[in-house]
Amino acid sequence: METIQFIFTALAAVWLFNWAIKRRFQLPLPPGPKGLPLVGNLFEMPRDFPWEKYHEWCKEYNTDTLHLYAAGKHIIVLDSPQAAADLLDKRSLIYSGRPRLPMIKELMGWDWFFGFRNYDETCRLHRKLINQAFNPTAVNQFIPQIKRATRNMLGLFLEDPEKLEGNLRRMAGETIMSVSYGIKIQKNDDFYVKTAEQGVSPALHIVGNPGAFLVDTIPILKYVPSWFPGAGFKTKAKEWKRLSKVMLEVPFKAAKAAIADGSASISLVSANLDRLEALGQNDSAQEQAVKEVAGGLYAVGIDTTVSPIVSCILALVKNPAVLKRAQAELDSVIEPGRFPDLSDEPALPYITAIVHESFRWRDVSPQALPHCLIKEDEYNGYRIPAGSIVIANSWALLHNEDIYPDPFAFNPDRFMKEGKLDFQSQRDPSFACWGYGRRKCPGRYMAYPAVWLAITHLLYCFDIMRAKDEYGNDIDPPEEFISALTIMAKPFKYDLKPRSEDIEKLIQQGLSAEVDFREFDGDH
């Protein structure tokens, strides 16, 4: 009798399993534009500001889970906070892969980069190394380097106030090279920063412009010889691969040399190599992981640091009342003769609201890096095929009118209530601006204080105003941005001057003084 019951139970289980599988494959795909036979929506895919078109389609088809099909690839766009949380956060076990990316990973050799890797054992090791160095407590050891780069930035603006993006890139480059390798960069045309920029720029440009190379749509083209007509991408990939290898090897070699002769300052490389040596685990595989993580930090850190600061300056030029209120708050807290510090953050809620609004208003990465679903899934009655490329439309989430009324206005007051920070009335943008699930930015605890310090110092030290035209009229700068993985405001006119002679002297003193590595030991 027990045997018969077991057989019936087993048969029922098999039937239910087959029924579930059959049912799932009978489910419809999420709504979306129909497309053409074979190629689907390939020729409809937007090249510039794709997140805007995705949102438009979502409204047209009344869905927050959009389906597109492009020459064999299923693409799912998540257009609401709920959909992004349900899939990328709650089901991160199966939604943390990355697309194949033949041009970048296979031809350009960027398969080492943790941002492009599938969520495998090596990726987990990379993220662990980053977390050990940049978790909320450990990151404090790098605050002096961030402050040093910030004060050097002020000197750059004294010398050349019109080089907004250039001065900020120099500051971000100095910060990243210092905390990654312990390298102190040169003031002008630094070799290490230039090497990193040359290695990183092609990859970020390509991944931010999907479809730029046909090989990403038709991977078999990777086998076409470089001399074949139309295969110029192979020559480009070879040169870009060489540049990325130089970016990986050169600063790491310099960091190891400094460690060997005892001149190294604290950095991700020195901290991890010292730890591995103490544990007796300093083998070639572990060292390679440290090298790859250090090389990847420039890729993820340079534009994501510069972009929100540039957006903030643009917003302040267009909203002078916000700047005046911020400076009044700073003047009420910061005693003359010193710079703002992270320890002042609790007393500067409006400044912090400005920083959060800068991340939200022109979100740094409007659609983040795409995820890849590793097995078949079902959501809200729709089938999501295995291997689907899944895109979170962060731009739509951070400009959702139900969460942020008047979402395209720069309004730090949305995060203020009765003179205090308020993330209850309107949500903290961090739910979308740092990524999702297991692929959330591991360096966010270093990036945030770097941006906060840069914006706070600029507001405290400089008046940032509209430029004048030849007739003395104010120039209202346009809100124009470059479409890429990380957006950047196009160059715009502004006027930047020190707020007083005392401030100018303070900046000069800051350039000659060394930051005390013991002066900051609290959590931020």
Side-chain angles (χ1 to χ4, degrees):
M1 187 66 178
E2 291 181 357
T3 302
I4 294 174
Q5 288 179 337
F6 174 79
I7 292 173
F8 273 107
T9 301
L11 289 172
V14 171
W15 182 85
L16 285 171
F17 177 78
N18 288 332
W19 175 83
I21 294 295
K22 184 177 180 181
R23 175 184 174 277
R24 175 167 287 181
F25 277 95
Q26 288 177 339
L27 289 174
L29 292 164
K34 186 176 181 180
L36 300 172
L38 297 179
V39 297
N41 309 109
L42 178 63
F43 301 116
E44 297 177 271
M45 296 297 288
R47 291 293 182 91
D48 294 321
F49 306 100
W51 44 89
E52 296 183 11
K53 185 62 178 179
Y54 294 155
H55 183 59
E56 181 183 318
W57 274 329
C58 285
K59 290 198 294 184
E60 179 180 347
Y61 293 96
N62 192 29
T63 183
D64 64 353
T65 310
L66 180 75
H67 174 261
L68 302 166
Y69 183 79
K73 293 182 180 179
H74 293 278
I75 300 169
I76 305 295
V77 179
L78 308 177
D79 204 63
S80 75
Q82 189 66 54
D86 286 345
L87 300 186
L88 302 185
D89 292 336
K90 296 177 182 178
R91 304 184 192 179
S92 62
L93 182 64
I94 61 173
Y95 280 88
S96 295
R98 289 295 193 215
R100 183 177 172 183
L101 303 175
M103 181 66 178
I104 300 170
K105 294 202 290 189
E106 298 169 29
L107 294 178
M108 292 172 56
W110 273 74
D111 53 334
W112 57 268
F113 177 45
F114 57 83
F116 296 157
R117 291 190 69 94
N118 276 316
Y119 198 73
D120 54 15
E121 185 177 342
T122 301
C123 181
R124 287 190 287 271
L125 173 59
H126 285 186
R127 293 180 67 89
K128 179 181 178 180
L129 293 175
I130 298 172
N131 185 61
Q132 287 173 339
F134 300 140
N135 65 60
T137 300
V139 75
N140 290 327
Q141 65 190 320
F142 299 114
I143 296 300
Q145 285 101 310
I146 298 175
K147 292 164 71 172
R148 174 76 270 165
T150 302
R151 296 181 189 181
N152 286 338
M153 171 198 70
L154 299 177
L156 293 175
F157 277 105
L158 273 185
E159 293 180 8
D160 198 340
E162 295 184 0
K163 283 189 176 180
L164 177 59
E165 186 177 338
N167 292 341
L168 293 175
R169 281 190 173 277
R170 199 274 186 187
M171 179 272 295
E174 178 180 353
T175 300
I176 296 169
M177 285 296 164
S178 178
V179 302
S180 298
Y181 301 102
I183 291 174
K184 189 173 182 179
I185 71 170
Q186 301 300 312
K187 183 175 180 180
N188 297 310
D189 197 27
D190 181 79
F191 170 74
Y192 294 107
V193 171
K194 186 176 181 180
T195 298
E197 192 73 22
Q198 289 176 338
V200 164
S201 292
L204 295 185
H205 173 76
I206 293 168
V207 78
N209 291 274
F213 291 93
L214 194 58
V215 67
D216 284 329
T217 303
I218 310 174
I220 197 172
L221 292 177
K222 65 178 281 190
Y223 299 107
V224 172
S226 56
W227 50 262
F228 196 81
F233 67 92
K234 297 285 291 287
T235 302
K236 292 178 180 178
K238 184 177 180 180
E239 172 61 12
W240 292 339
K241 184 175 183 178
R242 182 190 69 80
L243 291 172
S244 70
K245 186 174 181 180
V246 172
M247 178 195 73
L248 267 180
E249 299 291 343
V250 171
F252 186 74
K253 184 177 180 180
K256 286 191 67 178
I259 294 171
D261 66 22
S263 64
S265 60
I266 185 69
S267 68
L268 178 140
V269 169
S270 66
N272 277 295
L273 292 186
D274 288 347
R275 181 181 55 81
L276 291 174
E277 185 174 354
L279 295 173
Q281 299 176 347
N282 199 10
D283 57 32
S284 58
Q286 293 278 348
E287 184 174 303
Q288 181 67 20
V290 175
K291 180 197 300 184
E292 291 172 350
V293 166
L297 286 177
Y298 193 92
V300 299
I302 188 70
D303 282 350
T304 53
T305 300
V306 175
S307 173
I309 305 173
V310 173
S311 294
C312 180
I313 299 303
L314 173 60
L316 293 174
V317 171
K318 297 180 72 66
N319 298 274
V322 174
L323 176 63
K324 289 181 180 180
R325 181 174 166 186
Q327 290 176 334
E329 182 181 71
L330 283 162
D331 292 342
S332 71
V333 173
I334 310 303
E335 304 90 350
R338 76 172 179 92
F339 290 109
D341 193 66
L342 283 167
S343 59
D344 298 311
E345 185 175 4
L348 298 170
Y350 192 66
I351 296 295
T352 301
I354 288 174
V355 174
H356 282 270
E357 180 69 342
S358 298
F359 277 110
R360 187 208 66 83
W361 179 62
R362 289 294 181 266
D363 38 314
V364 174
S365 188
Q367 61 180 24
L369 283 170
H371 293 231
C372 186
L373 176 61
I374 63 173
K375 72 174 187 179
E376 196 86 9
D377 196 21
E378 174 187 342
Y379 182 62
N380 286 345
Y382 295 114
R383 178 173 70 92
I384 304 181
S388 293
I389 296 172
V390 183
I391 297 171
N393 192 346
S394 299
W395 175 85
L397 273 57
L398 292 170
H399 294 85
N400 186 312
E401 293 183 358
D402 294 332
I403 303 175
Y404 304 109
D406 196 10
F408 295 99
F410 184 85
N411 178 22
D413 268 315
R414 69 175 75 249
F415 300 123
M416 297 289 293
K417 186 175 182 179
E418 297 178 356
K420 297 180 180 180
L421 275 176
D422 171 36
F423 291 126
Q424 299 299 319
S425 302
Q426 293 185 37
R427 194 171 179 181
D428 185 341
S430 62
F431 82 95
C433 66
W434 299 110
Y436 307 88
R438 302 184 184 200
R439 303 314 295 245
K440 186 168 287 189
C441 174
R444 61 192 181 278
Y445 298 114
M446 188 190 77
Y448 176 80
V451 173
W452 190 93
L453 280 170
I455 289 175
T456 305
H457 279 65
L458 285 169
L459 271 58
Y460 180 69
C461 294
F462 295 102
D463 283 321
I464 307 165
M465 304 161 289
R466 296 188 181 190
K468 304 284 187 181
D469 63 18
E470 57 184 320
Y471 303 107
N473 300 314
D474 284 346
I475 298 174
D476 185 19
E479 296 178 20
E480 295 179 346
F481 288 77
I482 298 169
S483 177
L485 175 66
T486 302
I487 66 165
M488 193 72 66
K490 292 182 178 180
F492 57 91
K493 297 287 186 181
Y494 63 94
D495 189 19
L496 184 147
K497 296 177 180 178
R499 295 180 65 200
S500 68
E501 291 185 5
D502 288 340
I503 288 288
E504 189 169 352
K505 290 177 182 177
L506 181 63
I507 294 173
Q508 297 290 0
Q509 292 169 2
L511 295 174
S512 59
E514 285 297 325
V515 175
D516 186 349
F517 276 53
R518 300 164 297 176
E519 68 178 282
F520 186 85
D521 57 8
D523 292 341
H524 64 272

